[in-house]
């Protein structure tokens, strides 16, 4: 995943069937729009099993960043690597791939991204 890293990268674990995940999407879209030019990248990791529903959710929510899924739901290898127990689940990585924050959503996520990119 290192080739997808920006100055700061949000790894967002979500699924099309997850209502709280879908509710958070407009916030992620706004954060990406506001901070991508300043060095933010997002990588979406879906815990879907239905490729059609996954792709429809990406299009409907206008998720214009890298999206990956092995379509294995909770058996997703990337989710296992990050020890994801619930979704939505976010991890903020620095440019070296180190986790600098996790579990943030809404205004807390925006605030942390702003803080990190201001350094």
């Amino acid at each position: 995943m290192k080739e997808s890293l920006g100055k700061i990268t949000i790894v967002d674990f979500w699924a099309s069937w997850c209502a709280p995940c879908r509710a958070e999407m407009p916030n992620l879209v706004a954060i990406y729009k506001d901070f991508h030019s300043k060095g933010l990248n997002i990588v979406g990791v879906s815990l879907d099993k239905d490729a059609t529903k996954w792709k429809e959710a990406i299009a409907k929510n206008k998720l214009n960043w890298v999206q990956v899924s092995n379509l294995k739901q909770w058996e997703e290898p990337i989710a296992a690597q990050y020890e994801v127990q619930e979704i939505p689940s976010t991890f903020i990585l620095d440019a070296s791939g180190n986790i600098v924050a996790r579990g943030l959503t809404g205004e807390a996520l925006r605030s942390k991204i702003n803080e990190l990119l201001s350094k």
Side-chain angles (χ1 to χ4, degrees):
M1 194 178 307
K2 289 228 188 256
E3 65 277 355
S4 298
L5 294 180
K7 184 176 176 184
I8 297 296
T9 301
I10 299 170
V11 181
D12 175 46
F13 292 90
W14 70 285
S16 65
W17 45 264
C18 168
C21 300
R22 299 292 293 271
E24 179 64 11
M25 288 301 172
N27 183 52
L28 282 171
V29 169
I31 288 171
Y32 186 75
K33 180 181 174 207
D34 293 345
F35 294 105
H36 180 64
S37 64
K38 298 173 183 166
L40 174 70
N41 273 347
I42 301 177
V43 176
V45 181
S46 171
L47 274 60
D48 273 282
K49 66 178 181 179
D50 182 322
T52 301
K53 289 181 181 175
W54 172 49
K55 291 174 184 175
E56 285 173 355
I58 292 168
K60 183 175 182 177
N61 289 284
K62 298 179 173 62
L63 309 181
N64 296 324
W65 50 83
V66 173
Q67 295 287 337
V68 297
S69 182
N70 289 293
L71 300 174
K72 294 183 176 184
Q73 273 190 311
W74 290 103
E75 303 301 315
E76 171 58 54
I78 302 168
Q81 179 183 344
Y82 281 84
E83 300 177 357
V84 171
Q85 301 294 316
E86 63 184 7
I87 55 174
S89 192
T90 58
F91 293 79
I92 302 174
L93 311 181
D94 65 15
S96 300
N98 300 308
I99 298 171
V100 295
R102 65 176 65 189
L104 301 176
T105 58
E107 192 53 42
L109 180 60
R110 172 177 285 281
S111 179
K112 187 65 172 179
I113 295 301
N114 189 42
E115 171 195 325
L116 292 167
L117 288 173
S118 296
K119 289 183 177 178

